[in-house]
Amino acid sequence: MSDALTIEQKTAEAADWFRTLRDNVCGSFEAIEDDNEGPKADLAPGRFKRQMWERTNQADGKPGGGGVMSIMTGGRVFEKVGVNISSVHGTFTPEFAKSIPGADEDPRFFATGISLVAHMQSPRVPAVHMNTRFIVTTKHWFGGGADLNAPLPVAEDTADFHAAFKGACDRHGDDYYARFKKWCDEYFYIPHRGKARGEGGIFYDGLNTGDWQADFAFTRDVGETFNTIYPALVRRHMNEDWTADERETQLVYRGHYAEFNLVYDRGTTFGLKTGGNVDAILMSLPPEAKWPSPI
């Protein structure tokens, strides 16, 4: 029963799962690199490089956990992809604590999770974002999701991505897909552009139904579903040729993607406000983007 687990046991189980998911996803992506026969097949297959980092608490200068960045750049298929995990703890600043559930009662926190962003060589292969996390204050909850970010959307890809996550949601809650799809559509929106960041997916936060094991099972299913559907979409298009105009479309799209992450993304804000590793936090930014002159 979930009530039999201490909060320390829950955080340890969650952190262990995020490490496992990291290893599984990195394995899937490296297999894609090995199998590519497309326009970049003359390149050596990409491989992840890992770098550990440690965090120091801003409040008292004591160790506050850390994480591992797993980064692949310049691959046959993946131009830049990061699969980062972290487990950090410390104390929120009084100002930031006001925006975090349960932190107004006690500013101490623990957070563990995985964050993934993939920017692709081919404009015909959709970029993607996925993260899942477990947060502890005086309350505790899961959050996360996945969303597709295609410079050149393909209706079949979008439909298959949503169908996969609808299946995951339906296995755990009758209303999950409708709620979490809507949440994703509303969250990943660029107000100053008046447009969505991508083709959507699911997004959830504050998930605590009172059954920790059920919430954890759903979060694991989100990760496993991602590691099934996204590699399938990549393989569907990775050997196709693309044009210079399509590459230009991709670079401009990336500019809009970067704008959202720097201006609106709560994960970016959380990491920077809690003294996280700046390189890991900004891993989501593309390796190359464009902002064409409006004149």
Side-chain angles (χ1 to χ4, degrees):
M1 296 292 292
S2 60
D3 288 343
L5 295 178
T6 65
I7 196 63
E8 290 78 15
Q9 290 172 319
K10 292 175 180 177
T11 56
E13 281 197 29
D16 185 60
W17 162 246
F18 297 136
R19 285 191 293 269
T20 297
L21 180 59
R22 182 269 315 273
D23 293 344
N24 293 343
V25 170
C26 287
S28 295
F29 287 2
E30 289 187 347
I32 287 171
E33 286 286 313
D34 290 338
D35 294 343
N36 175 255
E37 298 177 354
K40 297 287 185 176
D42 57 325
L43 298 177
R47 288 294 180 266
F48 283 96
K49 296 180 180 179
R50 291 185 179 177
Q51 180 178 330
M52 297 181 62
W53 58 274
E54 296 181 351
R55 177 183 172 277
T56 299
N57 284 322
Q58 296 173 310
D60 55 18
K62 295 181 180 179
V68 180
M69 294 186 290
S70 297
I71 308 293
M72 181 198 301
T73 58
R76 294 171 168 177
V77 181
F78 296 91
E79 188 172 357
K80 176 187 177 185
V81 54
V83 188
N84 296 347
I85 57 171
S86 63
S87 293
V88 299
H89 55 87
T91 303
F92 291 124
T93 63
E95 179 182 0
F96 193 53
K98 296 175 184 177
S99 65
I100 305 296
D104 54 344
E105 302 173 33
D106 185 330
R108 291 176 296 177
F109 73 91
F110 176 88
T112 184
I114 180 171
S115 181
L116 178 157
V117 176
H119 295 290
M120 315 307 290
Q121 293 278 12
S122 170
R124 295 191 173 196
V125 177
V128 78
H129 160 256
M130 186 276 294
N131 81 87
T132 51
R133 56 193 176 274
F134 180 56
I135 311 292
V136 178
T137 59
T138 57
K139 302 178 180 180
H140 57 270
W141 65 92
F142 286 98
D147 60 291
L148 201 64
N149 298 274
L152 301 169
V154 176
E156 181 183 9
D157 295 347
T158 302
D160 289 349
F161 189 82
H162 278 275
F165 281 100
K166 183 178 187 303
C169 288
D170 289 350
R171 288 189 286 272
H172 299 272
D174 292 340
D175 66 339
Y176 275 18
Y177 178 69
R179 286 171 52 202
F180 299 157
K181 177 187 182 300
K182 182 175 184 291
W183 202 339
C184 183
D185 291 341
E186 293 174 347
Y187 179 73
F188 291 109
Y189 184 78
I190 310 173
H192 65 271
R193 293 287 181 186
K195 61 187 291 187
R197 191 179 77 170
E199 287 65 61
I202 62 168
F203 178 82
Y204 63 103
D205 203 6
L207 183 64
N208 183 343
T209 64
D211 186 335
W212 187 84
Q213 292 289 6
D215 298 341
F216 187 30
F218 172 64
T219 295
R220 294 196 306 271
D221 204 350
V222 169
E224 290 167 347
T225 296
F226 171 83
N227 199 31
T228 298
I229 185 57
Y230 183 65
L233 298 183
V234 174
R235 289 177 180 276
R236 185 178 291 175
H237 300 290
M238 68 181 186
N239 293 325
E240 298 173 357
D241 293 327
W242 65 85
T243 68
D245 285 345
E246 288 173 334
R247 173 66 172 175
E248 186 74 9
T249 297
Q250 180 190 44
L251 295 179
V252 173
Y253 175 86
R254 285 178 174 179
H256 296 173
Y257 186 96
E259 289 171 9
F260 176 88
N261 283 30
L262 291 173
V263 178
Y264 303 111
D265 187 70
R266 296 203 311 237
T268 301
T269 300
F270 183 92
L272 295 176
K273 291 283 189 180
T274 56
N277 181 284
V278 173
D279 291 330
I281 296 164
L282 299 183
M283 169 273 297
S284 64
L285 298 180
E288 185 178 358
K290 280 190 175 182
W291 286 266
S293 171
I295 299 175

